[in-house]
Amino acid sequence: MSRNPDPAHPPVVDRSTFEEHLERLRVREKAHTRESDAIAAARRRLPMVEVAGDSPILGPDGPTTLLDAFEGRRQLIVYYFMWWPGRPAAEQCEGCTWVVSHVSELAYLHSRDITFAVFSQGRNAAYGFADAQKSYEESVKYRDFMGWSMPWYSAQPALDSLLVGREPGLFHLVCYLREGDRVFETYWTRRRGAEVVDYSYALMDLTAFGRQEAWEDSPAHWPRLTQATRTLSGAPDWTPLEQSSGGRPTAQWPRLDAHHVDDLGTPHSDAAQPGEPGHCH
């Protein structure tokens, strides 16, 4: 898979030298862990702001509310999924696909009285809204194709108020707290803040070559595979990522290999329309 023809690896040393270098790094890792704990403690002391618990959203049984999405639990974590209405599965957001693909077992969250749900936004940063119900139905087909099972809603009917002060169409993680019928927003993040959901990058960061992405501070000649969220090529007939409109969300390929159908009821195209980006990022 590597595009780098030059051999590259860390220097080879004896065991004692290796352990000596590792121990020096452990000091920094421990400081990082303690600082992360301190930040989490500060996060638990943030104030909160009230939002409308009756904010309208769409669910599998039709119109519902933000309050209902708690499923009776005290807290709610929502991932706001970018969506390109009317586009086929191959052109949906690679970043959101990366995030949500790492969410599987929810019992641990439930044991702490936390519900996790995905709110499809009905738009992304490159393309505006289409019909809310139709976009929701498309996004549910995408969820089913990907094999995801978490609660799935559309936030399109109340997106401007739910993401007030933020740019709709970008992905966000938002945390809510319920006090009876009142709902409060306690925290939100976006962009790399969403890495908290991911374990693939965290594991890559432990390896000698890291994420193998262009932005990383790595030694010369380390492999560079562009990105992990969208394929470099995929099937033989798929446009490479380096070309316009290339690639496809990485996690889609095992589903296609297993003969899952990715038809969302939308026009299929291997390239975006002129002037439109081929993917979300």
Side-chain angles (χ1 to χ4, degrees):
M1 190 175 177
S2 174
R3 303 291 182 88
N4 191 333
D6 299 322
H9 57 72
V12 178
V13 297
D14 58 42
R15 168 62 65 174
S16 62
T17 303
F18 168 71
E19 294 294 344
E20 178 183 343
H21 281 262
L22 184 58
E23 190 58 34
R24 287 203 294 267
L25 183 64
R26 293 275 192 238
V27 175
R28 298 177 62 188
E29 288 179 335
K30 179 60 71 174
H32 176 77
T33 298
R34 289 171 175 163
E35 177 62 12
S36 180
D37 290 342
I39 291 171
R43 190 180 295 116
R44 292 192 293 272
R45 289 164 172 81
L46 286 172
M48 61 186 183
V49 61
E50 188 164 10
V51 297
D54 61 355
S55 297
I57 60 177
L58 295 175
D61 299 320
T64 186
T65 67
L66 174 64
L67 185 62
D68 291 331
F70 279 77
E71 297 181 344
R73 297 184 181 91
R74 184 83 183 281
Q75 297 185 86
L76 171 67
I77 300 173
V78 172
Y79 180 75
Y80 283 81
F81 196 109
M82 297 169 65
W83 187 251
W84 197 337
R87 308 301 293 189
E91 296 175 15
Q92 294 304 329
C93 179
E94 69 275 19
C96 292
T97 302
W98 153 70
V99 170
V100 178
S101 292
H102 289 87
V103 180
S104 55
E105 181 57 67
L106 298 178
Y108 297 103
L109 292 175
H110 294 171
S111 73
R112 298 298 191 271
D113 210 15
I114 302 168
T115 294
F116 180 91
V118 171
F119 283 13
S120 178
Q121 298 186 58
R123 63 155 295 174
N124 67 21
Y127 191 89
F129 293 114
D131 178 77
Q133 185 63 44
K134 183 176 180 181
S135 291
Y136 175 60
E137 291 170 357
E138 291 172 356
S139 72
V140 170
K141 289 179 181 178
Y142 189 68
R143 178 202 64 178
D144 294 344
F145 159 63
M146 292 302 302
W148 301 328
S149 59
M150 72 285 292
W152 194 275
Y153 303 90
S154 170
Q156 184 171 335
L159 193 61
D160 287 339
S161 60
L162 289 175
L163 292 181
V164 62
R166 288 150 285 191
E167 182 179 353
L170 294 179
F171 56 96
H172 301 278
L173 272 171
V174 183
C175 298
Y176 300 97
L177 175 66
R178 180 176 64 86
E179 294 285 349
D181 291 339
R182 300 177 68 189
V183 175
F184 301 87
E185 184 177 331
T186 63
Y187 179 75
W188 69 273
T189 190
R190 62 181 176 181
R191 299 190 185 275
R192 289 194 64 185
E195 287 187 12
V196 68
V197 182
D198 163 64
Y199 60 82
S200 293
Y201 274 155
L203 291 173
M204 292 177 199
D205 285 341
L206 300 180
T207 68
F209 293 150
R211 304 183 187 192
Q212 303 175 54
E213 297 184 357
W215 64 270
E216 287 181 286
D217 179 6
S218 295
H221 305 303
W222 249 229
R224 304 290 188 180
L225 298 179
T226 307
Q227 60 170 287
T229 58
R230 187 165 285 268
T231 50
L232 294 174
S233 57
D237 61 347
W238 193 260
T239 306
L241 175 64
E242 290 80 1
Q243 299 181 23
S244 176
S245 307
R248 185 183 184 120
T250 302
Q252 292 187 5
W253 290 107
R255 279 78 179 176
L256 294 169
D257 290 343
H259 307 294
H260 293 193
V261 177
D262 68 347
D263 183 3
L264 309 183
T266 62
H268 285 263
S269 65
D270 286 350
Q273 298 300 314
E276 293 181 342
H279 48 89
C280 296
H281 305 295

